[in-house]
Amino acid sequence: MQRILQPGEIESLDRIEFPRLRLPQPAVLFTERAARLRQKADGHPIADYLRFLAHLVDLQAQAAATVATQPVPEAVIAQSLDHGMPVLPAPLRPDPAWLGMLRQLLAGVLALQDLPQALRQNAQALAARGDAELEALAQAFLGDQATPAELAAQPLVMAALQVVYADIASRLDTQRIAYVDPASICPVCGSAPVVSVLRIGGEAGGHRYLHCGLCATEWHMVRVKCSHCESTKGVRYQGIEGGDPAVLAETCDSCHTYRKQVNQEKDPLVEPLADDLASLTLDLLMADTAYARASGNPLLALASGEPSGEDLDTQDA
Ligand SMILES: [Zn+2]
Ligand SMILES: [Zn+2]
């Protein structure tokens, strides 16, 4: 089927050899994320929470090794290609395997010796809920419609959903995943990206990818575009003076949002979700600007940090 090329695709035609999509490898993904969370926790204002998440991501890695999701029906893939839609739009009912994953993660969390009391109570309350209630909660988080009272459960519920969605995404064929509109949503699950990441090494090196917070698929978007509204006007970067040069806030004067960009060229070990969580100070400073955060981190609901008082250093793109 012939179709008109979009601006981002035209710009990249001369370098078409790099991958448009980087599907997750769950075993590697969760292992690297846990290691990065531990590394970042040392001396961090929210060290306890980052270490708790490292445990949770360890449990995700174990769960990912045994999860059994159903193959995506060919008709669903054909339909998404026909309509330029994500393969599995997230607000649809998740694969039933997710509930077993949640029960497994909760058991693992409750077995931790050094679990802070608030987190223990939260996990116990979640474990006591029936399947129908948990399904409703998953729908609320996936549809971004959870009430403030429910937010404490978000990291655990989303962690279970991540295992399932990453497993499904890892077994898709990149040739059978549509270009979706807008290009700022995940072509696999339709979620917003948490951050973008500049990759190094291999064919993806030097290219910017948006990283899905649910299924961990990464899809290419040219750097000159805002990762939220796709405008090419007024995209700039802000970072903390004297802070980590590998994590900057990409701001857009068209939609007045920001999304962080993590840069492997500055630090090869950056991991999108972990580095986003570990750079909460940047979010606190951005809260005093005219830019709103474009999308949240699914593993963040309980944590809070202290403003550091450091100054923002504005850099032109
Ligand atoms: Zn996704
Ligand atoms: Zn924008």
Side-chain angles (χ1 to χ4, degrees):
M1 188 176 71
Q2 289 187 311
R3 58 182 189 82
I4 292 181
L5 286 167
Q6 299 301 308
E9 300 166 44
I10 293 166
E11 290 152 30
S12 61
L13 265 187
D14 56 338
R15 305 184 65 173
I16 205 75
E17 70 275 13
F18 69 86
R20 173 176 72 97
L21 296 166
R22 301 179 78 246
L23 296 179
Q25 299 174 275
V28 178
L29 171 78
F30 294 121
T31 306
E32 288 185 353
R33 184 171 295 164
R36 183 62 167 176
L37 284 165
R38 284 203 171 83
Q39 185 188 21
K40 282 285 173 183
D42 287 335
H44 199 283
I46 56 164
D48 287 349
Y49 190 67
L50 295 181
R51 289 201 184 96
F52 161 68
L53 287 181
H55 284 307
L56 178 61
V57 179
D58 282 342
L59 294 167
Q60 284 182 294
Q62 290 169 22
T66 60
V67 68
T69 58
Q70 294 163 359
V72 180
E74 183 52 35
V76 170
I77 290 174
Q79 193 181 25
S80 73
L81 285 166
D82 282 351
H83 298 280
M85 296 277 290
V87 183
L88 293 168
L92 295 182
R93 196 161 179 268
D95 187 289
W98 91 272
L99 257 180
M101 288 296 107
L102 179 61
R103 300 273 182 216
Q104 191 176 328
L105 294 181
L106 287 172
V109 164
L110 289 169
L112 294 173
Q113 298 297 321
D114 55 350
L115 187 65
Q117 191 55 23
L119 294 172
R120 180 171 301 280
Q121 285 171 352
N122 178 37
Q124 281 168 338
L126 205 50
R129 294 207 199 184
D131 289 357
E133 250 186 300
L134 294 174
E135 291 280 7
L137 203 51
Q139 293 288 307
F141 290 131
L142 291 173
D144 229 350
Q145 303 196 315
T147 64
E150 291 169 334
L151 273 183
Q154 177 171 280
L156 291 163
V157 170
M158 291 303 290
L161 292 166
Q162 284 176 336
V163 172
V164 166
Y165 275 88
D167 182 65
I168 295 170
S170 72
R171 289 188 283 107
L172 294 174
D173 174 359
T174 55
Q175 302 300 316
R176 310 265 299 144
I177 297 174
Y179 283 87
V180 297
D181 186 22
S184 56
I185 62 166
C186 174
V188 171
C189 75
S191 301
V194 175
V195 294
S196 69
V197 52
L198 282 177
R199 290 287 177 199
I200 55 167
E203 293 173 334
H207 296 286
R208 188 270 286 266
Y209 290 86
L210 308 190
H211 184 97
C212 176
L214 180 58
C215 76
T217 292
E218 293 187 352
W219 64 105
H220 176 255
M221 185 179 281
V222 287
R223 291 193 217 185
V224 294
K225 280 189 182 180
C226 165
S227 67
H228 190 59
C229 74
E230 300 178 59
S231 168
T232 53
K233 304 261 189 314
V235 173
R236 290 178 299 150
Y237 298 92
Q238 300 194 40
I240 298 172
E241 192 173 16
D244 184 356
V247 183
L248 298 177
E250 179 189 304
T251 62
C252 172
D253 290 335
S254 295
C255 67
H256 303 285
T257 68
Y258 77 94
R259 175 171 282 128
K260 289 180 206 160
Q261 184 174 96
V262 300
N263 188 343
Q264 273 199 312
E265 289 168 2
K266 303 283 186 194
D267 182 347
L269 296 179
V270 291
E271 196 289 322
L273 262 64
D275 280 72
D276 178 46
L277 292 161
S279 57
L280 215 55
T281 305
L282 182 54
D283 294 290
L284 292 169
L285 292 167
M286 291 306 293
D288 291 333
T289 70
Y291 305 102
R293 186 169 160 124
S295 54
N297 187 313
L299 297 180
L300 184 64
L302 304 169
S304 63
E306 296 294 321
S308 73
E310 293 165 290
D311 290 318
L312 277 180
D313 175 24
T314 302
Q315 306 166 357
D316 284 331

